Coordinates of all heavy atoms in Angstrom, one line a residue:
L1 N 10.4 -10.2 3.1 CA 9.5 -10.1 1.9 C 10.4 -9.8 0.7 O 10.3 -10.5 -0.4 CB 8.5 -9.0 2.0 CG 7.3 -9.3 2.9 CD1 6.5 -8.0 2.9 CD2 6.5 -10.4 2.4
A2 N 11.3 -8.9 0.8 CA 12.2 -8.6 -0.3 C 13.1 -9.7 -0.8 O 13.3 -9.9 -1.9 CB 13.1 -7.3 0.2
A3 N 13.6 -10.5 0.3 CA 14.4 -11.6 0.0 C 13.6 -12.7 -0.7 O 14.2 -13.5 -1.5 CB 15.0 -12.2 1.3
A4 N 12.3 -12.8 -0.5 CA 11.4 -13.7 -1.2 C 11.1 -13.2 -2.7 O 10.3 -13.9 -3.3 CB 10.2 -14.0 -0.3
G5 N 11.4 -12.1 -3.1 CA 11.2 -11.6 -4.3 C 10.1 -10.6 -4.4 O 9.5 -10.2 -5.6
V6 N 9.6 -10.1 -3.3 CA 8.6 -9.1 -3.3 C 9.1 -7.7 -3.5 O 10.1 -7.3 -2.8 CB 7.8 -9.2 -2.0 CG1 6.7 -8.0 -1.9 CG2 7.0 -10.5 -1.8
E7 N 8.6 -6.9 -4.4 CA 9.0 -5.5 -4.7 C 8.4 -4.7 -3.5 O 7.3 -4.9 -3.1 CB 8.5 -5.1 -6.0 CG 8.9 -3.6 -6.3 CD 8.2 -3.2 -7.6 OE1 7.5 -4.0 -8.3 OE2 8.2 -1.9 -7.9
L8 N 9.2 -3.8 -3.0 CA 8.8 -2.9 -1.9 C 8.5 -1.5 -2.5 O 9.2 -0.9 -3.2 CB 9.9 -2.8 -0.9 CG 10.4 -4.1 -0.3 CD1 11.4 -3.9 0.8 CD2 9.3 -5.0 0.3
A9 N 7.4 -0.9 -2.0 CA 6.9 0.5 -2.2 C 6.8 1.2 -0.8 O 6.0 0.8 -0.2 CB 5.7 0.6 -3.0
V10 N 7.6 2.1 -0.5 CA 7.5 2.8 0.8 C 6.4 3.8 0.8 O 6.3 4.7 0.0 CB 8.8 3.5 1.2 CG1 8.6 4.1 2.5 CG2 9.9 2.2 1.3
G11 N 5.5 3.7 1.7 CA 4.4 4.6 1.8 C 3.3 4.1 2.9 O 3.6 3.1 3.6
D12 N 2.2 4.8 3.1 CA 1.2 4.2 3.9 C -0.1 4.8 3.5 O -0.2 5.8 2.7 CB 1.5 4.5 5.4 CG 1.7 6.1 5.7 OD1 0.7 6.8 5.5 OD2 2.8 6.5 6.0
L13 N -1.1 4.3 4.2 CA -2.5 4.7 3.9 C -2.9 6.0 4.3 O -4.0 6.6 3.9 CB -3.5 3.7 4.5 CG -3.5 2.3 3.9 CD1 -4.4 1.4 4.9 CD2 -4.0 2.2 2.5
D14 N -2.1 6.8 5.1 CA -2.3 8.1 5.4 C -1.6 9.2 4.4 O -1.7 10.3 4.6 CB -1.8 8.4 6.8 CG -2.6 7.6 7.8 OD1 -3.8 7.5 7.7 OD2 -2.0 7.1 8.8
D15 N -0.9 8.6 3.4 CA -0.3 9.5 2.5 C -0.6 9.2 1.1 O -0.2 8.2 0.4 CB 1.4 9.2 2.6 CG 2.2 10.0 1.7 OD1 1.6 10.8 0.9 OD2 3.4 9.9 1.8
P16 N -1.7 9.9 0.5 CA -2.2 9.7 -0.8 C -1.2 9.7 -1.9 O -1.3 8.8 -2.8 CB -3.3 10.8 -1.0 CG -3.6 11.2 0.4 CD -2.3 11.1 1.2
D17 N -0.2 10.5 -1.8 CA 0.9 10.6 -2.9 C 1.6 9.3 -2.9 O 2.0 8.7 -4.0 CB 1.8 11.7 -2.6 CG 1.2 13.1 -2.8 OD1 0.0 13.1 -3.6 OD2 1.7 14.1 -2.3
S18 N 1.9 8.7 -1.7 CA 2.7 7.4 -1.8 C 1.8 6.3 -2.2 O 2.3 5.4 -2.9 CB 3.2 7.1 -0.3 OG 2.1 6.7 0.5
L19 N 0.5 6.3 -2.0 CA -0.4 5.3 -2.5 C -0.5 5.4 -4.0 O -0.4 4.4 -4.7 CB -1.8 5.5 -1.9 CG -2.0 5.1 -0.5 CD1 -3.4 5.5 0.0 CD2 -1.8 3.6 -0.4
E20 N -0.6 6.6 -4.5 CA -0.7 6.7 -6.0 C 0.6 6.3 -6.6 O 0.6 5.6 -7.7 CB -1.0 8.2 -6.3 CG -2.4 8.6 -6.0 CD -2.8 10.0 -6.5 OE1 -2.0 10.5 -7.3 OE2 -3.8 10.5 -6.2
A21 N 1.8 6.6 -6.0 CA 3.0 6.2 -6.6 C 3.2 4.6 -6.6 O 3.7 4.1 -7.6 CB 4.2 6.9 -5.8
A22 N 2.7 4.1 -5.5 CA 2.8 2.6 -5.4 C 2.0 1.9 -6.4 O 2.3 0.8 -6.8 CB 2.5 2.2 -4.0
A23 N 0.9 2.5 -6.8 CA -0.1 1.8 -7.7 C 0.2 2.1 -9.1 O -0.5 1.4 -10.0 CB -1.5 2.4 -7.4
V24 N 1.2 2.9 -9.5 CA 1.5 3.1 -10.9 C 1.9 1.8 -11.5 O 2.8 1.1 -11.0 CB 2.6 4.1 -11.0 CG1 3.1 4.2 -12.5 CG2 2.2 5.5 -10.6
G25 N 1.2 1.4 -12.6 CA 1.6 0.2 -13.4 C 1.2 -1.1 -12.9 O 1.5 -2.1 -13.5
V26 N 0.3 -1.2 -11.8 CA 0.0 -2.5 -11.3 C -1.3 -2.9 -12.0 O -2.1 -2.1 -12.5 CB -0.3 -2.5 -9.8 CG1 1.0 -2.0 -9.1 CG2 -1.4 -1.6 -9.4
H27 N -1.5 -4.2 -12.1 CA -2.6 -4.8 -12.7 C -3.8 -4.7 -11.6 O -4.9 -4.5 -12.0 CB -2.4 -6.3 -13.0 CG -3.7 -7.0 -13.5 ND1 -4.1 -7.0 -14.8 CD2 -4.4 -7.9 -12.7 CE1 -5.2 -7.8 -14.8 NE2 -5.4 -8.3 -13.6
G28 N -3.6 -5.0 -10.3 CA -4.6 -5.0 -9.3 C -4.0 -4.6 -8.0 O -2.8 -4.4 -7.8
I29 N -5.0 -4.4 -7.1 CA -4.6 -4.0 -5.7 C -5.4 -4.9 -4.8 O -6.6 -5.1 -5.0 CB -5.0 -2.6 -5.4 CG1 -4.0 -1.6 -6.3 CG2 -4.8 -2.2 -3.9 CD1 -4.4 -0.2 -6.1
F30 N -4.7 -5.5 -3.8 CA -5.4 -6.2 -2.7 C -5.4 -5.2 -1.5 O -4.4 -4.7 -1.0 CB -4.7 -7.4 -2.3 CG -5.2 -8.0 -1.0 CD1 -6.4 -8.7 -0.9 CD2 -4.6 -7.8 0.3 CE1 -7.0 -9.2 0.2 CE2 -5.2 -8.3 1.4 CZ -6.4 -9.1 1.4
G31 N -6.6 -4.8 -1.1 CA -6.7 -3.8 0.0 C -7.3 -4.3 1.2 O -8.2 -5.1 1.3
V32 N -6.6 -3.9 2.3 CA -7.2 -4.3 3.8 C -6.8 -3.1 4.6 O -5.7 -2.5 4.5 CB -6.6 -5.5 4.2 CG1 -5.0 -5.5 4.4 CG2 -7.2 -5.9 5.5
T33 N -7.8 -2.6 5.4 CA -7.6 -1.5 6.4 C -7.4 -2.0 7.7 O -8.2 -2.9 8.2 CB -8.8 -0.6 6.2 OG1 -9.9 -1.3 6.4 CG2 -8.7 0.2 4.8
P34 N -6.4 -1.5 8.5 CA -6.3 -1.9 9.8 C -7.3 -1.6 10.7 O -7.9 -0.4 10.7 CB -4.9 -1.3 10.2 CG -4.8 -0.1 9.4 CD -5.4 -0.5 8.1
D35 N -7.8 -2.6 11.6 CA -8.8 -2.3 12.6 C -8.3 -1.4 13.6 O -7.1 -1.4 13.9 CB -9.3 -3.6 13.1 CG -10.1 -4.4 12.1 OD1 -10.6 -3.9 11.2 OD2 -10.0 -5.7 12.3
G36 N -9.1 -0.6 14.3 CA -8.7 0.2 15.4 C -9.9 0.9 16.0 O -11.0 0.8 15.6
Q37 N -9.6 1.8 17.0 CA -10.6 2.4 17.7 C -11.2 3.6 16.8 O -12.3 4.0 17.0 CB -10.0 2.9 19.1 CG -9.7 1.8 20.0 CD -10.8 1.0 20.4 OE1 -11.9 1.5 20.7 NE2 -10.6 -0.3 20.4
D38 N -10.4 4.2 16.1 CA -10.7 5.4 15.2 C -11.3 4.9 14.0 O -10.6 4.7 12.9 CB -9.5 6.2 15.0 CG -9.9 7.6 14.4 OD1 -11.0 7.7 13.7 OD2 -9.0 8.6 14.5

């Protein structure tokens, strides 16, 4: 992804601080949540 020109933001959906940091300055968000038993 990085080689194709995608900017990387390290974090995950279980870390609210990383989500907020990744969302700073963006126009929009595409959201999808992984399916699972829980």
Side-chain angles (χ1 to χ4, degrees):
L1 287 176
V6 173
E7 179 187 351
L8 304 181
V10 177
D12 61 63
L13 292 171
D14 295 322
D15 182 354
D17 290 339
S18 71
L19 283 175
E20 289 188 10
V24 171
V26 302
H27 172 84
I29 294 177
F30 172 78
V32 60
T33 51
D35 296 330
Q37 296 298 316
D38 191 338

